[in-house]
Structure formats: C-alpha cells, structure tokens
Amino acid sequence: MEQAMTTTGGGSCDGDGGGGGIGCLLSGIACCVAGAAFYFAGRRSLRAAAKLRLARRFTRISDLSAALDSEGDLPLVTISGQVGSETPILSPQNGCQAVITEQNVTQHYKTKHVTTTRTTEITENEGVKYLVLKETKKKDGDEYLVVKRTTVKDGTEHRLTNTRNDKVHVAEQWVHGTKLVSSTKHEVPWYLEDATGRLYVVEARKATGFGLSRESSVYDENKPSCTRCQACGLEDSVKIVGLERTERVLQIGTTFTSVGRAYKDRSNGAILIKRPKEIGGFYVSRSTIDQIISDLRNSSRNEDNMAVIFAISGGVLLACHLLL
C-alpha cells in the first residue's frame, strides 16, 4: 500500500512539472521574440537618426535654390519655412485663415435599455417535499401538477395542485452613444515660405510628423429629436443629447521643418521636396531637425532597454523549462 501511494504521488508531480515546463517554454520563446522585435526597432531608429545627421542643412530657401541651380537634385536636405497660400480658407469655427480644414459633426444620444427579470415563488410547507411533474403555458396564475411525498412508512402519495406566483422586475437604463453625422475636408494649394522664397512639399500628408495644428470643439445641447426615431416609433427609447462639432485646421503661418529630396520643376522652376528614393528620411514636422534626431535616439535607447528586459526574462523562463 505504501509503495502504491509513493508511485501515485510521483506520477502527479511529473504531470504538474510537465505542464509548468511547457508554459515556461512558450513564455520564454514569446519573450525572446519580443526582445528581438524591440532590438531591430531600436536599430531602425538609430539608422534613421544617423541618416538625418547627413542631411544637408539650409537656413534660407534662396540658398537652397542656388544649390539646386549649381548642383542639380539634392538627395537629402532639411529646411524650415512657414505655411502660406495664395487662396487661404477662412475657418468657419475658429475664424482663422488656414490651408486645410477638417470638421466632424458627432451626434450624442442616449438609448433606453429595458431589462425584465421574472422570478417564480412556490410556497412549500416545512417538512414536506414537492415534485413538479407538469407545467402549462407561462402565464400568471398557471398551475403545477405536484406530487406530495409524505413520511408515511407505507409510501402513500397524495396528488394536489399548487398556484405559481410570478414577480416581474423591470429596470431601465440609459446608455450613452455617439454617431458620426458628417465629415467635411477642405484643402487649398499651399507652400512653405520665408523672406527669400517659397517651396512646395509633395504629398506632405504622408510625411512623418505631419499634423494639423489647431483643434477646437463646439457642443450644441438639446437638439430636437431624431426624425428617423419618430418615423420608427422609437422616440421614447432614444434621447438626442446634442451635437459636437470638432474642427482641425492647418493655420497660415505654422512653421514646419521639411526633410527630403529637393529638386526643381523644369516647367516653372518651383522648388519641390518629396520623399527620397530610399525608404524613410521624409519629414514634415513642427520640431527642428535636432529635436527629431534627439527623439529618434531616445526612442532607440528605450527600445534597446526593452529588448534587454525581454531577453533576460525569456532566458530565465527557458532556464526554468530546462530545470523542470
């Protein structure tokens, strides 16, 4: 008996250890894969920072124009300028001049959710057991056919009827929701300029760091009920809280730093900056070139730290798997 108990206990421990070992193995592999991903991301950020350090810097657009005339296309340059346009847009919500406006109208509403809970009570006498044999349709006042089991030694059973008592609890809850009603976008031709000239950025929206500079929201409360809900008969189930108008704009005078390949349009002589032939190195950002490089280095440092943490964790978990 003691030998059998010892054998059983050893088998159970091996089973637990096997399951824990597989868990350590899978977790260790996952951590190592995550560590490798962070490592390569850090290397990519570091290479991008090193590439930006090689970008040729210009402080004036006229200097860039002269370099393009004498040297031809430049593979990677960086220059700053302010947003300008010959046909600016007047922002309807902010009241400022802009080159890009985006307005979203969102409807806020509340929907009534009704939860119905039905409880059934059957009164039982103390010391008596009831067995339900048959139930009719679910309506208030339905009857059950019940067998009453007594404690008589000869096993005598009595049949009787019992009325079901149903209680219905209704709970109402208003749930907040939103729906995008409309979205409008307007953009006019724009450029970057300084006191010496202007240049155009090709597909600036696809550049890293590009974003609209100003955002504002206006909330209109207590708007009339939704006509669609009235038509469907759901007016009492839906309450319109109000409309929120959010506008984002790219304002005239915003300073951008552009990094990319510079060349001149042969037809009109305009200076253009676009994405380099190689992947990366295309920026339209409010940060300076030095800030962009510093951010990339910090990102690389953080990703390297995460890679080390995950690699150590993965190694510990794989060691635990070998020990188990």
Side-chain angles (χ1 to χ4, degrees):
M1 178 64 70
E2 292 179 358
Q3 183 179 0
M5 292 178 62
T6 303
T7 304
T8 303
S12 176
C13 182
D14 291 340
D16 295 341
I22 294 176
C24 289
L25 175 62
L26 297 178
S27 299
I29 293 175
C31 287
C32 291
V33 171
F38 276 111
Y39 173 79
F40 287 113
R43 297 305 94 190
R44 184 170 59 250
S45 298
L46 197 60
R47 286 195 300 269
K51 185 176 181 179
L52 288 181
R53 291 183 59 187
L54 300 177
R56 188 170 175 179
R57 303 189 182 194
F58 292 90
T59 58
R60 297 187 303 177
I61 296 179
S62 60
D63 295 338
L64 174 61
S65 177
L68 291 173
D69 291 336
S70 60
E71 303 177 26
D73 296 356
L74 300 177
L76 191 64
V77 302
T78 175
I79 192 170
S80 298
Q82 293 183 339
V83 174
S85 175
E86 295 180 354
T87 57
I89 306 171
L90 183 61
S91 169
Q93 189 164 305
N94 290 312
C96 62
Q97 288 188 335
V99 295
I100 301 175
T101 62
E102 295 181 356
Q103 187 179 64
N104 295 328
V105 180
T106 305
Q107 185 180 70
H108 293 256
Y109 61 90
K110 290 185 178 181
T111 306
K112 182 170 66 174
H113 290 258
V114 180
T115 304
T116 304
T117 304
R118 182 185 296 271
T119 59
T120 303
E121 295 181 357
I122 300 179
T123 305
E124 298 182 2
N125 297 329
E126 185 177 357
V128 181
K129 297 180 179 179
Y130 292 89
L131 176 65
V132 178
L133 299 182
K134 182 180 180 181
E135 179 185 3
T136 59
K137 296 181 179 180
K138 295 183 178 180
K139 294 181 179 179
D140 293 340
D142 289 349
E143 292 184 348
Y144 289 85
L145 184 61
V146 182
V147 172
K148 177 183 180 183
R149 299 184 182 278
T150 62
T151 57
V152 181
K153 292 182 180 180
D154 58 3
T156 304
E157 293 183 351
H158 302 277
R159 293 180 179 270
L160 51 86
T161 59
N162 185 26
T163 302
R164 183 177 68 176
N165 182 19
D166 288 341
K167 292 184 179 180
V168 180
H169 304 276
V170 180
E172 295 184 358
Q173 182 180 9
W174 291 91
V175 180
H176 180 268
T178 59
K179 180 179 68 174
L180 182 64
V181 178
S182 64
S183 178
T184 57
K185 298 180 180 180
H186 299 283
E187 183 175 358
V188 295
W190 58 278
Y191 47 79
L192 297 180
E193 64 178 355
D194 61 12
T196 63
R198 66 177 59 169
L199 61 85
Y200 296 85
V201 182
V202 181
E203 295 184 339
R205 281 180 170 268
K206 297 181 180 180
T208 303
F210 180 83
L212 303 186
S213 59
R214 186 171 180 179
E215 180 175 348
S216 63
S217 297
V218 176
Y219 192 81
D220 299 331
E221 297 182 356
N222 300 327
K223 286 297 178 181
S225 300
C226 179
T227 56
R228 184 180 299 178
C229 298
Q230 293 176 353
C232 298
L234 300 176
E235 185 177 2
D236 296 334
S237 300
V238 178
K239 293 181 179 180
I240 304 302
V241 179
L243 294 177
E244 182 181 10
R245 292 180 173 85
T246 303
E247 186 180 59
R248 302 171 64 239
V249 303
L250 179 55
Q251 191 173 357
I252 292 286
T254 303
T255 301
F256 274 134
T257 297
S258 179
V259 181
R261 176 173 173 261
Y263 64 100
K264 274 194 173 184
D265 191 340
R266 296 180 179 179
S267 61
N268 55 18
I271 302 174
L272 303 176
I273 292 182
K274 67 177 184 178
R275 180 182 297 276
K277 294 182 179 180
E278 298 181 2
I279 298 176
F282 185 41
Y283 292 82
V284 177
S285 173
R286 295 182 187 86
S287 302
T288 64
I289 184 65
D290 293 328
Q291 290 174 341
I292 296 175
I293 294 174
S294 177
D295 292 341
L296 287 172
R297 287 178 176 175
N298 291 335
S299 177
S300 175
R301 190 179 301 109
N302 293 334
E303 288 161 348
D304 288 343
N305 293 335
M306 294 298 297
V308 172
I309 292 174
F310 275 99
I312 294 176
S313 300
V316 171
L317 290 172
L318 292 177
C320 291
H321 168 70
L322 295 177
L323 293 177
L324 290 177

